[in-house]
């Protein structure tokens, strides 16, 4: 009798444990999607509006968390001594307002974080933002890079 009860208990245990194992396997095959996207921009004079004759170049890389709306960025540049730098909101080929001012542009790289408004987050993800570095010779911007999701 004890042997039969033990066998029944073991059978019930195995039957209960197998579906639990299968659920774990399903979670491993379908990982939770990331809320973070990677960003990039190539800065040059041709993207400025209007274009400039500058030979300076730069890059912007970063990440954006779609839930917290936290933007993390790094901007590098060569061949320029910027007096200011920002991230602006506007589509390619159009100038727009500043949404993220850079604290300091004295040395490359420029790194920082900013929490975007919901409206600015939508524009960032839609490709309607750009990084701009300004100089005394080109106060409207010497080099620019339209920000895109990788």
């Amino acid at each position: 009798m004890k042997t039969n009860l033990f066998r029944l208990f073991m059978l019930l245990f195995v039957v209960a444990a197998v579906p639990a194992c299968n659920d774990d396997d399903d979670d491993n095959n379908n990982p939770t999607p990331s809320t973070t996207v990677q960003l990039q921009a190539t800065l040059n004079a041709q993207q400025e509006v209007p274009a400039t004759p500058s030979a300076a170049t730069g890059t912007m890389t970063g990440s954006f968390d779609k839930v917290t709306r936290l933007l993390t960025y790094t901007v590098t540049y060569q061949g320029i001594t910027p007096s200011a730098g920002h991230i602006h909101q506007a589509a390619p080929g159009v100038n727009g307002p500043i949404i993220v001012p850079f604290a300091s542009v004295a040395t490359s790289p420029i790194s920082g974080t900013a929490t975007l408004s919901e409206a600015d987050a939508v524009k960032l993800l839609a490709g309607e933002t750009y990084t701009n570095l300004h100089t005394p010779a080109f106060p409207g911007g010497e080099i620019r890079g339209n920000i895109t999701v990788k």
Side-chain angles (χ1 to χ4, degrees):
M1 179 75 175
K2 287 182 183 179
T3 304
N4 287 341
L5 283 175
F6 178 75
R7 287 182 183 155
L8 179 62
F9 174 77
M10 291 305 293
L11 178 63
L12 291 174
F13 177 78
V14 169
V15 168
V18 169
C21 291
N22 287 342
D23 286 345
D24 288 342
D25 289 342
D26 288 343
D27 290 342
N28 290 335
N29 291 334
N30 298 316
T32 305
S34 175
T35 62
T36 303
V37 296
Q38 299 303 306
L39 306 168
Q40 64 185 5
T42 300
L43 285 69
N44 56 49
Q46 294 75 32
Q47 293 183 68
E48 273 299 337
V49 179
T52 71
S54 178
T57 60
T59 62
M60 179 268 191
T61 58
S63 63
F64 180 70
D65 187 307
K66 296 182 279 186
V67 173
T68 64
R69 299 190 319 270
L70 182 67
L71 170 66
T72 303
Y73 59 87
T74 300
V75 178
T76 62
Y77 59 84
Q78 309 80 44
I80 187 176
T81 304
S83 55
H86 319 95
I87 294 175
H88 295 255
Q89 186 278 303
V94 179
N95 291 322
I98 297 168
I99 60 171
V100 178
F102 299 151
S104 173
V105 295
T107 60
S108 178
I110 303 163
S111 295
T113 61
T115 301
L116 301 185
S117 70
E118 286 185 38
D120 289 337
V122 169
K123 296 294 187 178
L124 174 76
L125 295 173
E128 296 183 14
T129 56
Y130 62 94
T131 302
N132 207 7
L133 295 177
H134 307 262
T135 63
F138 299 99
E142 185 165 335
I143 59 174
R144 168 181 170 153
N146 297 314
I147 301 171
T148 59
V149 175
K150 282 187 185 180

